[in-house]
């Protein structure tokens, strides 16, 4: 049984930082594509960042230079470091996994079939 459990969300003022974590269990996630998505009320879900099985990464233009995705293969945990947060970053954030191998460019075209329950991030101005 694959499980993804996010944590680390909360409320922060604009310009602040948060680090989201996603604990992974049930499969050797380190070999697969992993990503962070977000969805704000009334908006479509947006893919924020991807990390491939080879450690390569890619980011949405809206977060490039501010967010960093990483993974700790020993702790089986995926992270999203978010800096210089703005109110536009307010959303529910989800980690997701696609059970395929590849670099970030390949992972970008894949269907993510495992999802966490989400963690809320609220940024006030």
């Amino acid at each position: 049984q694959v499980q993804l459990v996010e944590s680390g969300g909360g409320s922060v003022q604009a310009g602040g930082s948060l680090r989201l974590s996603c604990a992974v269990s049930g499969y050797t996630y380190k070999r697969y594509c992993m990503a962070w998505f977000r969805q704000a009320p009334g908006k479509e879900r947006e893919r924020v960042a991807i990390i491939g099985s080879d450690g390569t990464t890619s980011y949405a233009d809206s977060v490039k230079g501010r967010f960093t995705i990483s993974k700790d293969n020993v702790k089986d945990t995926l992270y999203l470091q978010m800096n210089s947060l703005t109110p536009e970053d307010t959303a529910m954030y989800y980690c997701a996994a696609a059970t395929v191998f590849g670099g970030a460019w390949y992972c970008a075209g894949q269907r993510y079939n495992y999802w966490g329950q989400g963690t809320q991030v609220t940024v006030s101005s």
Side-chain angles (χ1 to χ4, degrees), residues 2 4 24-34 53 96-102 106-107 110-115:
V2 176
L4 305 174
V24 183
S25 62
Y27 77 113
T28 53
Y29 91 105
K30 60 180 69 68
R31 303 167 62 195
Y32 298 140
C33 301
M34 298 291 296
S53 51
T99 52
V100 292
F101 305 93
Y106 179 75
C107 295
Q110 301 307 308
R111 178 176 177 272
Y112 286 76
N113 46 351
Y114 293 102
W115 294 82

Side-chain angles (χ1 to χ4, degrees), residues 12-48:
V12 64
Q13 289 192 327
S17 299
L18 284 173
R19 187 175 80 157
L20 306 183
S21 300
C22 174
V24 183
S25 62
Y27 77 113
T28 53
Y29 91 105
K30 60 180 69 68
R31 303 167 62 195
Y32 298 140
C33 301
M34 298 291 296
W36 287 96
F37 291 76
R38 68 184 181 186
Q39 188 165 22
K43 294 187 177 181
E44 292 189 354
R45 186 172 62 197
E46 175 187 22
R47 188 179 60 220
V48 173

Side-chain angles (χ1 to χ4, degrees), residues 4-7 21-22 92-95 115-120:
L4 305 174
V5 180
E6 301 97 334
S7 61
S21 300
C22 174
M92 185 71 79
Y93 284 71
Y94 301 90
C95 67
W115 294 82
Q117 83 289 348
T119 186
Q120 177 68 37

